[in-house]
Amino acid sequence: MARIIGVANQKGGVGKTTTAINLAASLAVLEYKTLLVDADPQANSTSGIGFDLQNIQQSIYDCMVGESIARDVILKSEIPNLDLIPSHIDLVGAELEMINYPERENVIKKILDDIRDEYDFIIIDCSPSLGLITVNALVASDSVAIPVQAEFFALEGLGKLLNTIKIVQTRLNPELSIEGILMTMFDVRLRLNNQIAAEIRRHFEDMVFDTMIHRNSRLSEAPSVGKPVILYDADSKGSKNYLDLAKEILQKNDLTRIKQSERTLNIEDEQ
């Protein structure tokens, strides 16, 4: 059964979509069957892994307010083991259309329950708000990864998001946990970045990932050609950072596994 991780922060420009795309791609490259769910009306995750928004016939919107099921809308990406449920600008109106739904906070959870057994990981790219769609994503998730830019207002925005998560835990999803706080766009040369990073680590301690995402031009360029950075430049700092993040999440959850080829070699060595 898949571990579902929501990637959320109501602040824009913190690397949320970049993290969702590249974490999902890294897990797929590590041979874990992964589904990326684009729950952001801007649909940047959809275009960021190479799909033309003009050609999207069905999206998560059709599952949420229509009669489509998840299997109807899943698209295969060019990376083996990485699938996508795309988004669409129509998702902007979904919150109003769902306002009178019974159990309106559970819509995405019900969509994903049907396919959860088919994946190792499901990564949800949440919209940059704390509205009904983001609450839906948090209710569907086992945990939430929080990208935070190492800048002055980071702690203020983080407090609001953690309060929302606490409300969701109390009222809707008691199993929801914090996967980790991820520092993004980090520049080791800047004193302010180092000071904010130290403050975040002091304040949140074990909640902060050891991995940090450094500011990297290849990471910024990759979405313009519709590729995760691991396809755009596998040797770049950004690619290595996100692979490290994927490995840290696997280790944290005791989900690492020996590849079949390595297991066979180990058995032969013992004999």
Side-chain angles (χ1 to χ4, degrees):
M1 181 179 289
R3 180 168 184 82
I4 303 179
I5 302 175
V7 182
N9 195 325
Q10 80 278 14
K11 282 175 65 69
V14 298
K16 177 185 60 64
T17 294
T18 298
T19 294
I21 291 172
N22 291 293
L23 173 58
S26 296
L27 289 166
V29 166
L30 292 170
E31 299 184 4
Y32 290 82
K33 190 157 178 56
T34 305
L35 175 67
L36 175 60
V37 179
D38 192 348
D40 184 347
Q42 297 176 86
N44 290 334
S45 279
T46 302
S47 60
I49 61 169
F51 291 96
D52 184 347
L53 299 180
Q54 303 298 320
N55 295 329
I56 299 297
Q57 301 298 317
Q58 293 188 97
S59 69
I60 192 169
Y61 170 81
D62 298 283
C63 298
M64 294 178 74
V65 302
E67 298 183 357
S68 298
I69 60 173
R71 288 186 187 86
D72 292 339
V73 305
I74 289 174
L75 303 172
K76 299 280 184 186
S77 79
E78 62 179 312
I79 298 179
N81 298 316
L82 180 59
D83 294 346
L84 170 76
I85 292 182
S87 185
H88 192 275
I89 189 62
D90 289 347
L91 195 59
V92 169
E95 292 192 2
L96 285 175
E97 295 182 64
M98 293 162 56
I99 200 75
N100 293 318
Y101 278 25
E103 298 187 356
R104 61 187 180 184
E105 297 88 359
N106 291 286
V107 174
I108 290 180
K109 183 179 187 300
K110 290 176 181 177
I111 292 167
L112 298 181
D113 278 349
D114 287 342
I115 55 168
R116 188 167 182 171
D117 289 340
E118 299 171 23
Y119 294 93
D120 297 311
F121 284 94
I122 297 176
I123 307 297
I124 307 177
D125 181 17
C126 302
S127 59
S129 71
L130 296 178
L132 182 57
I133 295 174
T134 297
V135 170
N136 257 265
L138 296 177
V139 170
S141 296
D142 297 308
S143 62
V144 55
I146 307 170
V148 174
Q149 189 175 357
E151 50 112 59
F152 186 72
F153 293 111
L155 288 171
E156 179 185 349
L158 195 51
K160 293 176 183 176
L161 178 59
L162 291 173
N163 188 53
T164 299
I165 290 170
K166 183 178 285 188
I167 292 169
V168 171
Q169 288 170 326
T170 303
R171 301 180 185 176
L172 299 166
N173 182 5
E175 304 301 316
L176 182 66
S177 64
I178 305 292
E179 191 69 42
I181 295 167
L182 176 68
M183 280 180 275
T184 62
M185 294 179 253
F186 185 77
D187 190 336
V188 70
R189 299 167 299 180
L190 299 180
R191 181 185 299 174
L192 179 62
N193 274 197
N194 286 286
Q195 289 173 341
I196 296 295
E199 181 69 10
I200 289 173
R201 287 197 186 279
R202 185 187 66 78
H203 197 76
F204 294 103
E205 300 177 339
D206 293 342
M207 288 170 61
V208 184
F209 285 114
D210 292 332
T211 303
M212 301 171 76
I213 309 302
H214 293 80
R215 194 173 290 278
N216 178 251
S217 60
R218 309 302 273 173
L219 197 54
S220 303
E221 293 164 7
S224 67
V225 294
K227 292 180 183 292
V229 70
I230 202 161
L231 284 189
Y232 183 64
D233 186 349
D235 293 326
S236 68
K237 185 74 171 176
S239 177
K240 292 172 182 175
N241 286 165
Y242 276 109
L243 274 173
D244 287 344
L245 175 64
K247 291 172 184 176
E248 185 175 347
I249 288 173
L250 290 168
Q251 290 169 355
K252 180 179 179 181
N253 293 288
D254 295 321
L255 294 171
T256 51
R257 62 191 183 206
I258 302 173
K259 293 180 185 176
Q260 186 63 43
S261 57
E262 293 174 353
R263 190 181 293 115
T264 303
L265 285 171
N266 289 338
I267 292 171
E268 289 174 352
D269 290 342
E270 290 171 5
Q271 293 174 342

